[in-house]
Amino acid sequence: MPRLVLLGPARVDFARDPSQAWAWDGKTGWQKGLRMTLGFIGIGTMAAAMVEGLGGGDILLSPRGAEKAADLAARLPGVRVAASNQAVVDGAGTVVLSVRPQIAEEVVRALRFRPGQRVVSLIAATRGIAEALPDSP
């Protein structure tokens, strides 16, 4: 079972009212009002669209794509730009990887993920990415 999954009623703006979110904390079960930091590494078109769609919240952006990241942080509540990709990993419960396939392995291998940390990849299939992630076979 995932360590933290956000659920909630339809049409609730979690960025403005996180008390309506339910989350599984992995120890005590379901709790209402838990916040989860979502981190994005690589702020291109897809990641920017996802952040826009979320409408803000506890979101940490990498400095890759600095102009887009700064714009999102300026416009959306709770969105911040981290100092580095590693700072995103260190500060997020779930990390979304959204970098070009040509640089994906290099970017991922430079990161140190926590055991059990959730990683969502938007990267087109490339060799070496799965092996670079924690808990990979």
Side-chain angles (χ1 to χ4, degrees):
M1 182 165 269
R3 291 224 167 103
L4 188 61
V5 177
L6 291 182
L7 298 175
R11 298 188 189 161
V12 171
D13 186 345
F14 296 123
R16 290 174 183 77
D17 189 5
S19 67
Q20 296 303 306
W22 285 82
W24 177 264
D25 73 357
K27 293 181 183 173
T28 58
W30 290 102
Q31 293 187 27
K32 190 173 183 180
L34 289 181
R35 294 195 62 126
M36 174 182 72
T37 301
L38 183 60
F40 286 83
I41 295 179
I43 309 303
T45 303
M46 285 193 342
M50 290 178 73
V51 173
E52 289 259 3
L54 291 168
D58 196 2
I59 299 174
L60 194 54
L61 306 177
S62 76
R64 289 189 80 80
E67 189 174 313
K68 281 185 186 177
D71 175 61
L72 292 166
R75 292 186 298 108
L76 299 171
V79 176
R80 328 177 292 290
V81 181
S84 67
N85 288 341
Q86 187 60 52
V88 172
V89 172
D90 294 344
T94 298
V95 177
V96 178
L97 299 174
S98 182
V99 296
R100 293 186 326 267
Q102 298 88 337
I103 63 167
E105 186 174 352
E106 174 188 342
V107 169
V108 172
R109 286 198 183 279
L111 301 172
R112 297 293 166 249
F113 295 91
R114 294 185 303 279
Q117 189 169 26
R118 289 160 313 282
V119 178
V120 177
S121 177
L122 304 180
I123 304 167
T126 60
R127 290 183 178 256
I129 296 299
E131 294 83 11
L133 292 172
D135 304 319
S136 294

